[in-house]
Amino acid sequence: MDVSAAEAPIREATVPHRRAGWSSSRLRRDLTGWAFISPWVIGFLVFTAFPFLASMYLSLTEYNLASPPKFVGLENFSFMFLRDRVYWTSMRVTWTYAAITIPLGMVQSVAIALLLNQRIRGIAFFRTAFYVPGMISSVGWMLVWTYLLAKNGAINWALALIGVEGPSYLNSTTWALPALALMGLFSVGSAMLIMLAALQGVPEHLYEAVEIDGGGEVAKFRHVTLPQISPALFYNLVMSLIGVLQSWQAAYLMTDGGPRHATLFYGLHLYRNAFEYFKMGYASALGWVAFIIVLALTGVNFLASKYWVFYEGG
């Protein structure tokens, strides 16, 4: 009698049990995995996905928290673009602020990172000193700058020593926005740290190749440093653009959007409509316009990045 033929039914009978056991074990692993990530999933659904979808609906309604939302279609967007002059003022203020802080912030972060990338004694102290301002509470930082920028503050005191009488910066329609931009430029710790990490990742043999070809420090920076750190520059650029449309805390605490709307950021205009005027429908519409602008600018940056961002091995 063929032994293999006699054992075949036994093997066939045991296969379903193995498959059943394997499926049960895999199901337990899947359930365990979902249990571990469930806090994040629940948090995402409750605090991100639901508000995202709710704001989409509310942007098409008139809603003041005291009564049910009333569907008005595109009325909020029509009012925003055609009748709300404050909207256009907030846009102008926001992009003026962006035109000052983004280019200067990018240059500043690269310059500081280059200085902090030197091999000198005590460099760890200087790296910490430049990064610490970015770790200070924003409210405390703003209180310090309110004192510095006051009419009788430390900046005007220093100017008086050389015979210059400074203005009351935060109460001047000319100086209020540049003053907030100046304050923003002192909080480049995170951007500087990213640039420093990128600089430390540049291969030394590339610099040696430039030296062999007779190139100096300018050639090294232009042909090696900039291409190698371009991904970090691109990241900081995108994050800066997103951050600009979210800026409002400094103007709210230090100038309240004044004087005469000189520091009325887009984010502050949105905040006022939502939590001071309780126009939740209109505030949601403002939020969606900001989202579309950020999405469009990010898309343009990604399309343009192929012409100036260098990825090693790409």
Side-chain angles (χ1 to χ4, degrees), residues 21 23 28 61 95 108 141 151 198 207 209 227 248 254-255 285 305:
S23 299
R28 285 196 301 270
T61 68
W95 293 116
Q108 183 186 32
W141 189 245
K151 177 65 176 176
Y207 292 123
W248 64 275
M254 298 174 67
T255 63
S305 67

Side-chain angles (χ1 to χ4, degrees), residues 96-280:
T96 302
Y97 179 81
I100 298 172
T101 57
I102 292 178
L104 291 179
M106 298 281 287
V107 172
Q108 183 186 32
S109 62
V110 173
I112 295 175
L114 286 170
L115 291 174
L116 297 180
N117 196 39
Q118 305 301 313
R119 294 185 178 92
I120 60 174
R121 182 177 298 178
I123 193 65
F125 167 77
F126 292 106
R127 290 173 180 173
T128 304
F130 275 97
Y131 183 70
V132 162
M135 302 296 293
I136 298 175
S137 168
S138 58
V139 175
W141 189 245
M142 292 169 196
L143 289 175
V144 171
W145 275 95
T146 300
Y147 164 71
L148 293 175
L149 296 168
K151 177 65 176 176
N152 58 347
I155 293 178
N156 282 347
W157 174 81
L159 291 175
L161 295 178
I162 57 175
V164 177
E165 182 181 356
S168 178
Y169 299 95
L170 298 179
N171 294 316
S172 168
T173 55
T174 303
W175 290 102
L177 188 61
L180 294 184
L182 175 66
M183 184 190 74
L185 291 174
F186 272 80
S187 301
V188 294
S190 298
M192 176 274 297
L193 193 65
I194 292 171
M195 299 312 306
L196 179 60
L199 286 172
Q200 293 183 344
V202 178
E204 286 293 334
H205 66 83
L206 297 179
Y207 292 123
E208 295 171 359
V210 174
E211 290 178 354
I212 293 173
D213 290 339
E217 295 301 321
V218 175
K220 290 180 183 179
F221 181 76
R222 179 182 175 184
H223 298 293
V224 176
T225 303
L226 279 180
Q228 289 292 317
I229 67 172
S230 58
L233 286 169
F234 175 63
Y235 173 81
N236 281 340
L237 175 62
V238 172
M239 296 307 295
S240 297
L241 285 171
I242 295 173
V244 161
L245 279 177
Q246 296 177 342
S247 298
W248 64 275
Q249 297 95 332
Y252 176 71
L253 292 173
M254 298 174 67
T255 63
D256 197 27
R260 285 186 284 178
H261 292 165
T263 58
L264 183 63
F265 289 90
Y266 187 89
L268 180 58
H269 184 47
L270 190 157
Y271 172 85
R272 283 181 171 176
N273 277 279
F275 301 107
E276 292 183 9
Y277 313 143
F278 297 106
K279 297 180 179 179
M280 291 296 178

Side-chain angles (χ1 to χ4, degrees), residues 32-102:
T32 301
W34 280 105
F36 275 111
I37 67 172
S38 61
W40 181 90
V41 172
I42 294 171
F44 172 78
L45 293 175
V46 174
F47 297 110
T48 301
F50 174 74
F52 185 83
L53 297 175
S55 67
M56 183 186 299
Y57 167 70
L58 290 176
S59 68
L60 305 174
T61 68
E62 180 181 336
Y63 181 45
N64 60 5
L65 295 179
S67 57
K70 177 184 177 183
F71 185 80
V72 294
L74 298 177
E75 177 62 27
N76 287 326
F77 296 95
S78 174
F79 175 78
M80 184 190 311
F81 296 129
L82 301 178
R83 287 173 286 166
D84 186 1
R85 294 182 180 179
V86 179
Y87 165 80
W88 293 108
T89 300
S90 68
M91 274 292 185
R92 175 181 57 80
V93 169
T94 300
W95 293 116
T96 302
Y97 179 81
I100 298 172
T101 57
I102 292 178

